[in-house]
Amino acid sequence: MTIVDPRDGSRRPDMSIETRGGRIVATTAFPGPAVSGLRVVDGEGRYAVPGYNNMHTHVLQEERSELFMATMLREGTTGMRQMAGPDEVLRRRAQNRLSLGPRTPALLTMPGAILMPFNSPTIGRVRREISRQKALGADFIKLIMVERDVFFAAVSWAHAQGLTIGGHLPPSVSPGEASDAGYDFLEHLGTSANIWIETSSDRAALRAAADTSLALPNALGYVPFAEQLFGSPFVTKLTATTLLNPALSDRADNIPVLQQALNTFDDGAARDLARTFLKNSTWQTPTLSRLRTEYRMDAPEYTDHPRLRMLSPQVRKDYQTTRTKFLDLPAQRRDAYHQYYDTAVTFVGILHEEGVPIMTGTDGPGGNPGQDLRSEFRELASAGLAPLDVLRATTTVPASFLGRSDRMGAIDAGMRADLLLLDNDPLTSVENLMDISAVVNAGHYTTAAELDQTIDRLLASEEDA
């Protein structure tokens, strides 16, 4: 087989790989030394690459998590960063009760509860919440929306506790300010109009005109049991379509600011922001596949997407309701959302050109079809990333982000035995990254056909339930 090394883009033909105990113990010229008792897999004509990493997933919160993790493994995902860790999930992990193993991607890292007005309305409360999450075993802190002073206090306190912090951006904090303050990573480009105001040639006027209030009032933090109420099944059902497409909750009077920001997108301002991210090591997981399902939800391929059958009947119904609402939006608003997505693709290309580290993530599985790694690879390619760049975004860059380059992200002795066998050269086409014939997950070899059988079995059991 040919070993592809994403670190330098080299190909090493006629190689063999020996694994033992979930680790790679040797890579040698073929044929390697005969070792009795080892299973031998013929890799002739195939390409070996490190296993892929989905750095933004919510699969452990999914109703059909076993099915979705099987599909993740089938698309080559051997490592995942879970992006929400309610207390119960953290406790289950501490007790080794998450049902993870050779048939699922490895859990690389996870946060505690997301910082919101419910749990972090004040500086004192956000510090206590971060300390509480650390005590529960959170690996990092994820923030979505808090007041401006609370945001900066959260960044400082998380770092003081030895934790990284990142996620979304509150509307009152610009991407440049967040980066300069040490915000470690941005997901989905920060969400909302914030990043487009920063990259506009008319940003001063737009900042003055933008609504910087929180989508959820900060006063919720003072309402007893507010967090439990908003997590209840009744409220979750009421907010299901908003979670599937947050754009539907945008206030109509915010759209003109967004439209003006997009119309005045400035390449120079965008590059200035990218250089700020690079200077401050603000890592990016743009989740383009997720943004596409949100801002181009009317695309024809989402009408009857093949992955819809993976969703439960209720989630499938919620998705169709959400898509209908999007289709019913005024044409001008949908055009603005289309422009949002196209500008996001352009900006990701600029981030890449300026050297900002980009990681693959889908925000899925979720209730929107198209939140899968194949779609993410394609969207990153459309942003201008070459096949090697996409391979790095899912292997070496996540390894570097996690400080684990000595054990993941490449095929070398001492590395975790997570690798894929591909039928075609992954450096010549991004599509070849998904020509997977077998997955080796922590040393466990499974063919693509066997994984397909597992998925079919799980689908059938869900449909019979």
Side-chain angles (χ1 to χ4, degrees):
M1 74 185 74
T2 297
I3 295 177
V4 177
D5 192 336
R7 294 172 297 190
D8 59 10
S10 64
R11 301 176 181 85
R12 290 185 284 160
D14 301 320
M15 298 294 291
S16 62
I17 303 168
E18 181 184 343
T19 72
R20 189 181 299 118
R23 295 283 173 184
I24 298 170
V25 297
T27 60
T28 56
F30 180 82
V35 181
S36 62
L38 289 185
R39 177 184 183 183
V40 177
V41 175
D42 183 6
E44 183 179 1
R46 292 188 281 183
Y47 296 80
V49 297
Y52 303 151
N53 296 284
N54 189 329
M55 297 299 284
H56 192 128
T57 180
H58 291 272
V59 69
L60 296 181
Q61 300 160 260
E62 289 295 326
E63 179 183 351
R64 297 182 168 186
S65 60
E66 184 182 6
L67 170 61
F68 282 122
M69 282 194 282
T71 64
M72 290 172 71
L73 198 61
R74 175 62 178 85
E75 65 187 17
T77 300
T78 58
M80 59 185 182
R81 181 172 65 141
Q82 170 74 13
M83 288 304 291
D87 291 359
E88 177 56 26
V89 179
L90 283 171
R91 291 190 185 101
R92 284 167 53 207
R93 181 180 69 163
Q95 297 163 1
N96 198 27
R97 294 192 297 113
L98 287 180
S99 301
L100 301 176
R103 296 293 181 177
T104 70
L107 176 59
L108 301 173
T109 185
M110 67 184 296
I114 296 167
L115 301 188
M116 297 272 280
F118 308 118
N119 57 16
S120 302
T122 66
I123 291 174
R125 288 272 296 277
V126 80
R127 287 174 175 169
R128 288 195 294 274
E129 177 62 19
I130 289 170
S131 297
R132 189 187 72 83
Q133 291 186 19
K134 181 181 180 180
L136 278 172
D139 301 309
F140 63 92
I141 301 298
K142 183 182 177 184
L143 184 150
I144 287 189
M145 67 172 86
V146 293
E147 294 288 359
R148 180 180 171 86
D149 60 340
V150 174
F151 174 88
F152 292 107
V155 174
S156 177
W157 192 255
H159 290 166
Q161 305 308 304
L163 299 171
T164 57
I165 181 171
H168 299 201
L169 282 178
S172 60
V173 180
S174 74
E177 286 181 306
S179 179
D180 285 337
Y183 208 46
D184 295 291
F185 53 87
L186 270 185
E187 308 297 306
H188 329 294
L189 303 178
T191 70
S192 75
N194 218 329
I195 205 145
W196 310 128
I197 292 173
E198 184 90 347
T199 55
S200 165
S201 60
D202 197 20
R203 52 190 172 278
L206 289 169
R207 279 198 199 105
D211 178 7
T212 60
S213 61
L214 298 179
L216 293 173
N218 200 54
L220 285 173
Y222 301 96
V223 176
F225 310 112
E227 191 169 7
Q228 293 88 331
L229 173 64
F230 273 76
S232 68
F234 174 72
V235 176
T236 299
K237 181 175 176 59
L238 289 178
T239 59
T241 57
T242 299
L243 292 173
L244 288 171
N245 194 334
L248 293 174
S249 64
D250 284 345
R251 284 172 36 185
D253 56 356
N254 288 337
I255 302 303
V257 172
L258 172 62
Q259 183 68 76
Q260 179 63 13
L262 294 169
N263 288 343
T264 55
F265 179 80
D266 180 72
D267 183 89
R271 292 186 185 278
D272 285 345
L273 179 56
R275 290 166 191 148
T276 296
F277 290 155
L278 181 62
K279 175 191 69 173
N280 296 324
S281 296
T282 309
W283 301 68
Q284 305 288 321
T285 310
T287 66
L288 285 176
S289 55
R290 168 57 170 134
L291 293 180
R292 194 177 194 280
T293 67
E294 184 175 344
Y295 292 102
R296 283 194 169 272
M297 200 177 208
D298 50 353
E301 60 265 34
Y302 300 139
T303 304
D304 191 23
H305 197 282
R307 287 176 71 100
L308 279 171
R309 67 188 292 251
M310 295 176 60
L311 307 178
S312 68
Q314 183 58 55
V315 175
R316 198 178 308 133
K317 180 180 178 181
D318 290 339
Y319 165 74
Q320 297 295 1
T321 299
T322 304
R323 190 167 187 273
T324 298
K325 287 183 177 181
F326 190 90
L327 290 167
D328 288 342
L329 291 174
Q332 185 176 6
R333 181 163 169 177
R334 281 191 288 118
D335 287 344
Y337 287 153
H338 295 168
Q339 189 178 352
Y340 185 116
Y341 183 72
D342 295 344
T343 308
V345 172
T346 298
F347 185 55
V348 169
I350 290 172
L351 291 173
H352 173 64
E353 289 170 6
E354 295 295 335
V356 178
I358 293 171
M359 299 185 287
T360 53
T362 63
D363 200 22
N368 289 339
Q371 292 175 243
D372 56 87
L373 214 51
R374 179 188 293 272
S375 298
E376 187 67 10
F377 287 176
R378 286 173 173 166
E379 296 309 308
L380 289 173
S382 73
L385 277 70
L388 176 58
D389 300 322
V390 176
L391 178 59
R392 286 171 171 160
T394 200
T395 56
T396 55
V397 180
S400 180
F401 174 78
L402 295 170
R404 302 178 189 177
S405 296
D406 60 336
R407 57 195 128 144
M408 60 181 283
I411 298 175
D412 253 341
M415 298 282 188
R416 183 178 160 95
D418 294 333
L419 57 103
L420 314 175
L421 295 184
L422 308 179
D423 289 330
N424 294 291
D425 188 348
L427 302 186
T428 61
S429 167
V430 73
E431 294 297 324
N432 292 348
L433 289 168
M434 280 298 167
D435 284 346
I436 299 169
S437 61
V439 175
V440 180
N441 186 34
H444 296 270
Y445 177 87
T446 313
T447 67
E450 290 170 333
L451 289 169
D452 287 336
Q453 291 173 0
T454 297
I455 292 167
D456 289 343
R457 174 180 57 79
L458 290 170
L459 270 172
S461 64
E462 291 287 358
E463 290 168 355
D464 291 341

